[in-house]
Amino acid sequence: MDHMLHNIWEQPAIAQACLELPLDLNPLHLEDTIQQIQHIQIIACGSSYHAGLVAKTWFEAIAHLPTQVQEASEYPAIDPFLTPQGFRIFISQSGFTSDVITVAQSVKKATSQGLPNSISTLGITNGSQTPLHTWVDHIIQTPAGTEQAIAATKTFLAQLIILLRLVLQLATQRQTQSQQTLDRLNQALSAVPSQIEQTLQQQTAILPTLAQRLLHAEHCILLGRGIQRAIALEGALKLKETAYLHAEGYSAGDFMHGPIALIEPGFPLIAIALPNSLNYNKTIENLRRIKSYGATVIGITPSTNLEMVDLCDHICPIDLNTPSLDCSSHTATEWLSPLLTVLPLQLLAHAIAQIRGYTMDQPRHLTKFLA
Ligand code: BG6
């Protein structure tokens, strides 16, 4: 088995390790700053940037903290927006990515020169003793183990779980959710490792058909709404960097404003659509229109969702058993779903790369630092 596939199947155990990782805010010496934080800024690249985009929804919806996610390579020389009440989080699985380190370094230097800066900085990395450790105030090391494959899979999942745990702790301290809601979310999170295992198993029946269907495809669109937009972007990155398939992720709604012109009979499109998620009906409406132009639609959705089963040509089943609880307009199911919806996309990218005969552990033009 190649490293990428091995890493994908390690994820149930990695998820469990992430849940067991001691993550008290107190040992991080963040407790003094928690009440002062008014907003968050996340800085990252690639898959880590997508983890930041997922976390933005969590920080805003669960901990009520406005969050900006910035591609490190696009970071402005002087950031005029972050007030002294901002908290910066640098995410890098390797801890070596120069675009990320450059920003962390300039922030640290600005602080030492007394320029207006964030309260404090946190690095989330899978590496130990990386350059990122040098330039941030606090570090959380994700317990994903070395990820030999170039494409991030288990480290992405680990970043998500650690970020969600951080959000839940912030929400507890800031009292932005009821204790009952937080208890249920924590309870639902504890079931995630077994759901990851089940979801991975569930894909094995459909994968050969899907990989064959996309074998000669030159383009593919991935759609998600709300929190799933980040997973559509991450899935597109996996297809590009592993299977060299030109894939683009969009929010389902914005795809209708221009890119829909790309659709012609047989155009492959992957849509993540979970019932009870925000504006689910709108996504279905969008997909019906896309389907009417002849697209081949692959749905990532529960196998019991007959609406999507009828509408789509193929289904990648995602069967979340999390309790449905109303917290503003979201549900626990929707908040936790990115931990599962990314899985079929990882497996699909690997399967296409495999039948195309590519070396998925070492895609062309890409390198990876292993700490
Ligand atoms: C890119 C890789 O070079 O770096 C991506 O191709 C990766 O797969 C990105 O997500 C960011 O890496 P890191 O180590 O900073 O998370």
Side-chain angles (χ1 to χ4, degrees):
M1 192 189 281
D2 54 82
H3 289 301
M4 183 179 174
L5 195 57
H6 182 69
N7 293 162
I8 291 172
W9 282 92
E10 276 183 283
Q11 290 178 109
I14 303 297
Q16 189 59 44
C18 289
L19 294 181
E20 288 168 10
L21 185 77
L23 193 67
D24 291 339
L25 295 177
N26 294 351
L28 284 173
H29 304 297
L30 287 173
E31 70 276 18
D32 295 338
T33 61
I34 294 299
Q35 296 304 332
Q36 300 169 41
I37 296 174
Q38 288 184 5
H39 63 121
I40 306 268
Q41 189 178 56
I42 297 174
I43 299 121
C45 300
S47 293
S48 299
Y49 170 73
H50 298 150
L53 289 177
V54 173
K56 172 183 164 71
T57 300
W58 291 334
F59 277 116
E60 292 184 341
I62 304 174
H64 299 177
L65 282 164
T67 301
Q68 180 198 13
V69 191
Q70 182 85 49
E71 290 162 311
S73 57
E74 290 288 317
Y75 200 85
I78 296 172
D79 181 355
F81 301 111
L82 197 75
T83 67
Q85 283 74 38
F87 182 56
R88 280 193 178 94
I89 303 176
F90 295 87
I91 311 174
S92 170
Q93 76 75 30
S94 62
F96 277 87
T97 301
S98 62
D99 283 330
V100 177
I101 300 306
T102 304
V103 181
Q105 213 168 345
S106 71
V107 167
K108 186 90 168 178
K109 282 183 181 158
T111 316
S112 64
Q113 288 164 4
L115 296 178
N117 198 4
S118 53
I119 293 175
S120 183
T121 56
L122 169 69
I124 299 179
T125 180
N126 196 47
S128 58
Q129 298 181 329
T130 72
L132 188 59
H133 285 70
T134 313
W135 300 111
V136 293
D137 301 321
H138 316 281
I139 274 277
I140 299 175
Q141 188 180 349
T142 55
T146 306
E147 189 173 56
Q148 298 282 357
I150 293 262
T153 53
K154 63 175 181 172
T155 53
F156 176 75
L157 182 90
Q159 289 167 348
L160 289 184
I161 294 179
I162 295 300
L163 283 160
L164 181 53
R165 288 190 57 203
L166 192 60
V167 169
L168 291 174
Q169 292 210 19
L170 284 165
T172 304
Q173 301 228 359
R174 293 166 56 82
Q175 300 181 343
T176 51
Q177 301 292 334
S178 70
Q179 195 52 48
Q180 189 194 35
T181 297
L182 291 167
D183 289 346
R184 287 195 188 165
L185 275 168
N186 277 309
Q187 189 193 339
L189 190 53
S190 67
V192 158
S194 61
Q195 293 196 333
I196 291 174
E197 177 84 47
Q198 183 193 335
T199 306
L200 290 171
Q201 300 281 3
Q202 278 180 296
Q203 309 311 311
T204 48
I206 182 73
L207 270 182
T209 310
L210 285 188
Q212 208 58 46
R213 170 66 191 80
L214 290 166
L215 178 58
H216 301 295
E218 290 181 10
H219 310 282
C220 180
I221 295 292
L222 291 92
L223 300 185
R225 193 173 224 106
I227 200 166
Q228 300 299 345
R229 173 179 167 267
I231 299 301
L233 295 178
E234 172 60 9
L237 176 60
K238 289 284 93 67
L239 288 168
K240 279 182 279 212
E241 66 182 350
T242 310
Y244 310 152
L245 170 56
H246 176 220
E248 297 301 336
Y250 287 93
S251 55
D254 209 47
F255 182 74
M256 313 308 282
H257 299 289
I260 192 170
L262 290 167
I263 299 296
E264 55 188 2
F267 195 110
L269 184 139
I270 303 175
I272 309 167
L274 304 176
N276 301 323
S277 60
L278 199 61
N279 287 332
Y280 165 76
N281 289 338
K282 280 251 174 215
T283 305
I284 293 294
E285 202 179 291
N286 299 151
L287 291 178
R288 283 197 206 291
R289 194 162 149 224
I290 290 165
K291 190 79 184 102
S292 76
Y293 300 135
T296 298
V297 180
I298 298 162
I300 298 182
T301 197
S303 52
T304 50
N305 180 7
L306 298 182
E307 197 168 30
M308 279 289 280
V309 170
D310 284 349
L311 203 156
C312 298
D313 298 274
H314 309 278
I315 292 291
C316 295
I318 296 289
D319 291 313
L320 281 143
N321 298 317
T322 47
S324 175
L325 75 158
D326 291 320
C327 334
S328 62
S329 51
H330 290 263
T331 66
T333 308
E334 185 171 11
W335 281 336
L336 295 183
S337 61
L339 303 172
L340 301 187
T341 51
V342 70
L343 304 173
L345 297 169
Q346 296 172 343
L347 283 171
L348 184 60
H350 177 275
I352 299 168
Q354 192 169 42
I355 56 172
R356 286 182 170 188
Y358 301 144
T359 44
M360 40 285 212
D361 283 341
Q362 191 56 63
R364 64 194 179 201
H365 319 321
L366 297 174
T367 51
K368 181 170 192 162
F369 282 102
L370 293 177

